[in-house]
Amino acid sequence: MAGDIVSINNLRVSFPSESARIYPVDGVSLKILKGETLGLVGESGCGKSMTSLALMGLLPRPLGRVDGGEIIFKGRNLIGIADAEMAKVRGRDISMIFQDPMTSLNPVYTVGDQIIEAIQAHERVPRTEARRVAVDMLRKVGIPSPEKRIGDYPHLMSGGMRQRVMIAMALSLKPELLIADEPTTALDVTIQAQILYLMNDLRRDLGMSILLITHNMGLVAENADRIAVMYAGRILEEAPTKGLFASPLHPYSRGLLDSIPRMTGGGDKLQSIPGMVPPLNDLPKGCKFFGRCARSTEPCETKEPPLFQKGEGHSVRCWLYEE
Ligand SMILES: Nc1ncnc2c1ncn2[C@@H]1O[C@H](COP(=O)(O)OP(=O)(O)O)[C@@H](O)[C@H]1O
Ligand code: SF4
Ligand SMILES: [Mg+2]
C-alpha cells in the first residue's frame, strides 16, 4: 500500500524452552506509514521488544529466530537478508533507542567518538562537522555543557545521561524509521517531555516515522497517531489513537486504559487488570486473554478469535465483536 514505510506481515519469533519452542511474537501484522507515530503498548513480557529486535535484525542469537512472516521495508523483505546488508539498513534507514542504555554504549570510547563515528558511517561529512552535529544534538536532548560532556566515557555518566546520549546518537542519524523502545523510562518528567518534543520535531521536519513502544498509555495518548495493543505475542486491538481512547473495544485495552491514574480529583481509584500474563509455554488454548477476562463467553476458552474490523482502521481480536 502506498505510504507504508514498513509492513510487518504475520511475523513469528521463537525461542527454545524446556519442552517445545515458545513464540514471544506469534502472527503479528503491523503497518507504519510514512511520517506517523505508531504506539505499540502492552504489559511487560508481551513481545514488544522482540518485535522491534526482529525489525532491526537483532534478535539474541543463536536461540531467538524468526520463524515465519515478512518485514517489508520500503518494498524489500528484510527477513533473511545478509548480515552486512542488515547492518547498512540499521546505519542508514532504521535507528533504535534501546530499552537498556547500559549495554548499548561501548565503555572504551568517549560518547562523542561514538556519536561522531555513527554519523560518519552514515554520511560523508568531515569530522568537525560531525562533531558540531553531535554537540548540537547532545544539547537538544538536555545534556548540560555538551562541549565538555562529549569527551566523557559512558561510565562517568548516570543512567539517565546515557539514555540521552543514545537518543542523541539515534536522532543524529536522521533515520526514516525510529524505533523507540521505552525511550524515557530512565528519565525524569521534564526531560521526558523534552525528548518527546524533539522526536516529534524531527518527525515533522524529516518526515520520519516512529514506532513508539511503551507500557505507558499516557505517553501514546499524547504522541501516537495510531495504537496497537499487544498481548501474549499477538495484536489484540489496533485503532487511531482518538478512536481507541474514545471507545476501546477489547476488554484488555479497556483494562489498560482504566489503569491510567486519573488526575481529575474525582477520587477515582487506580484500577488494574486482574491476574497475571500467562507464561508462553502455558497459554490458554482459545483467546489468550481468557482467564483474566470478566466478559468471556462460550467460544473464548477453546477458539482463538480472529481480528474483526470495526470501523475505519479499527480492528479487534475478541469474540464479542463477531458479526
Ligand atoms: N532471551 C530470551 N530467551 C527466551 N525467551 C525470551 C528471551 N527474552 C525474552 N523472552 C520471552 O519473550 C517474551 C517477550 O519479551 P519482550 O519482547 O522483551 O517483552 P516486552 O518488551 O513486551 O516487555 C518474554 O515474556 C519472555 O518469555
Ligand atoms: S474473546 Fe472472550 S475471553 Fe477473549 S477478550 Fe473477548 S470476551 Fe474476553
Ligand atoms: Mg521490552
Side-chain angles (χ1 to χ4, degrees):
M1 200 181 92
D4 295 354
I5 179 116
V6 66
S7 171
I8 300 175
N9 301 317
N10 218 3
L11 181 69
R12 295 186 94 198
V13 171
S14 76
F15 280 87
S17 77
E18 279 156 34
S19 43
R21 289 190 83 80
I22 53 167
Y23 292 85
V25 180
D26 199 353
V28 163
S29 297
L30 287 174
K31 283 184 197 314
I32 306 174
L33 307 181
K34 193 165 167 44
E36 82 165 344
T37 296
L38 175 69
L40 182 60
V41 299
E43 285 163 291
S44 179
C46 67
K48 304 182 299 295
S49 292
M50 287 301 154
T51 303
S52 60
L53 290 173
L55 188 46
M56 288 290 278
L58 290 176
L59 286 172
R61 291 186 190 175
L63 300 178
R65 70 171 190 229
V66 170
D67 255 348
E70 305 176 314
I71 297 176
I72 309 291
F73 181 75
K74 297 205 294 181
R76 174 163 76 145
N77 189 0
L78 298 181
I79 303 292
I81 68 170
D83 287 354
E85 275 300 300
M86 196 63 222
K88 274 192 213 160
V89 171
R90 280 196 298 272
R92 193 180 52 207
D93 302 316
I94 310 179
S95 285
M96 180 157 172
I97 300 170
F98 291 90
Q99 188 169 357
D100 179 3
M102 308 306 171
T103 54
S104 28
L105 285 169
N106 190 327
V108 304
Y109 296 103
T110 65
V111 298
D113 280 344
Q114 294 183 61
I115 302 178
I116 291 166
E117 190 191 318
I119 294 171
Q120 287 190 301
H122 179 71
E123 284 181 274
R124 279 178 187 281
V125 289
R127 189 175 165 87
T128 46
E129 169 62 10
R131 188 174 193 285
R132 195 193 58 73
V133 172
V135 168
D136 182 49
M137 201 51 91
L138 288 173
R139 180 176 299 111
K140 283 187 174 152
V141 297
I143 293 189
S145 321
E147 300 85 355
K148 257 202 273 168
R149 300 309 299 263
I150 197 169
D152 280 357
Y153 288 90
H155 69 268
L156 294 174
M157 296 184 143
S158 66
M161 283 285 182
R162 276 191 290 233
Q163 180 69 320
R164 282 185 257 175
V165 169
M166 292 306 303
I167 293 168
M169 179 156 9
L171 295 180
S172 53
L173 299 181
K174 302 186 189 133
E176 288 186 60
L177 172 63
L178 176 73
I179 302 173
D181 190 358
E182 309 275 2
T184 57
T185 30
L187 306 173
D188 76 50
V189 179
T190 328
I191 299 291
Q192 268 186 33
Q194 190 178 343
I195 299 286
L196 264 309
Y197 186 83
L198 178 61
M199 280 169 43
N200 286 326
D201 239 21
L202 287 168
R203 175 159 77 107
R204 252 194 326 273
D205 293 353
L206 307 172
M208 178 173 86
S209 307
I210 301 175
L211 176 60
L212 178 61
I213 299 177
T214 178
H215 62 274
N216 182 337
M217 294 298 281
L219 206 67
V220 285
E222 284 171 20
N223 295 285
D225 300 299
R226 291 188 304 121
I227 295 179
V229 178
M230 193 164 181
Y231 185 77
R234 288 143 174 87
I235 303 300
L236 297 190
E237 184 163 5
E238 190 179 337
T241 304
K242 281 201 186 96
L244 188 79
F245 277 82
S247 57
L249 299 180
H250 201 286
Y252 181 61
S253 310
R254 292 184 181 198
L256 288 179
L257 291 179
D258 283 344
S259 66
I260 301 178
R262 294 197 177 82
M263 303 301 190
T264 49
D268 281 330
K269 274 222 191 85
L270 184 80
Q271 309 251 343
S272 68
I273 302 163
M276 305 246 289
V277 180
L280 289 173
N281 58 8
D282 193 21
L283 291 177
K285 181 164 178 283
C287 172
K288 303 310 166 210
F289 194 53
F290 184 80
R292 297 179 79 188
C293 179
R295 301 184 64 195
S296 52
T297 60
E298 197 275 313
C300 302
E301 186 170 6
T302 51
K303 270 175 74 186
E304 180 159 18
L307 280 169
F308 296 108
Q309 290 300 322
K310 287 285 143 188
E312 186 76 27
H314 198 152
S315 55
V316 56
R317 192 184 295 282
C318 170
W319 287 120
L320 296 173
Y321 300 95
E322 190 181 17
E323 296 277 290

